[in-house]
Amino acid sequence: MPPEFTLRPSYSSDAIWIAELRAVVMRPDLERLGRWDPVRVRERFLRAFQPEHTYVIHTAGVDAGVIAVRQEPDARWIEHFYVAPAHQGKGLGGAVLRHVMAASVDERPFRLNVLQGSPARHLYERHGFVLESEDQIDVFMLAAGIP
């Protein structure tokens, strides 16, 4: 059974710890791809952070991750989906993804991108995401909205 969790809105004050979480979570994939830069990984998040689209995943008494859902006219983009390593492999990511997708109220598809070779791709495929396009670094995926 997946762990219980709640999603709370994020605030500007969450930016620094989320940037640190991003660096920890993405480091293995970025190192494998030869793209690891400890400053850039944080700065890139801080430049793009939109608290109004981001939710903090709270479980077992701690903030254990984040997920952002950015609305576009033709799709809903899942972005900045990071679960702290101590909470990975326990079903939390899948439960959060199912929750976000089930809360959908329209037919627009979900889109996201994941780094080439990332184990997270398997999570997305298990939840209906399919390959849309890819390059040497990123895999772009798509899942249908409500039929």
Side-chain angles (χ1 to χ4, degrees), residues 6 24 32 39 55 93-95 99 102 108 112 116 124 137-138:
T6 57
V24 168
R32 181 180 38 76
V39 174
Y55 299 89
H99 174 80
R108 288 176 297 160
L112 57 80
Q116 284 284 4
Y124 301 135
I137 303 296
D138 292 302

Side-chain angles (χ1 to χ4, degrees), residues 28-101:
D29 288 329
L30 291 170
E31 284 180 336
R32 181 180 38 76
L33 293 167
R35 307 281 295 196
W36 173 248
D37 178 328
V39 174
R40 185 172 185 264
V41 72
R42 291 167 176 88
E43 285 179 350
R44 192 167 177 202
F45 172 79
L46 292 171
R47 279 194 309 270
F49 181 51
Q50 296 179 311
E52 66 274 17
H53 300 300
T54 307
Y55 299 89
V56 174
I57 304 163
H58 190 83
T59 188
V62 298
D63 292 338
V66 294
I67 188 168
V69 182
R70 182 173 48 86
Q71 307 290 329
E72 291 291 330
D74 63 341
R76 285 137 326 152
W77 280 88
I78 294 176
E79 300 175 317
H80 305 299
F81 187 16
Y82 314 120
V83 175
H87 297 277
Q88 292 178 8
K90 300 176 183 178
L92 179 61
V96 170
L97 189 58
R98 277 190 303 279
H99 174 80
V100 166
M101 293 177 76

Side-chain angles (χ1 to χ4, degrees), residues 8-39:
R8 71 158 173 86
S10 70
Y11 304 102
S12 299
S13 59
D14 290 313
I16 298 299
W17 78 262
I18 296 172
E20 290 302 314
L21 175 63
R22 179 182 198 263
V24 168
V25 170
M26 293 186 70
R27 184 175 184 158
D29 288 329
L30 291 170
E31 284 180 336
R32 181 180 38 76
L33 293 167
R35 307 281 295 196
W36 173 248
D37 178 328
V39 174

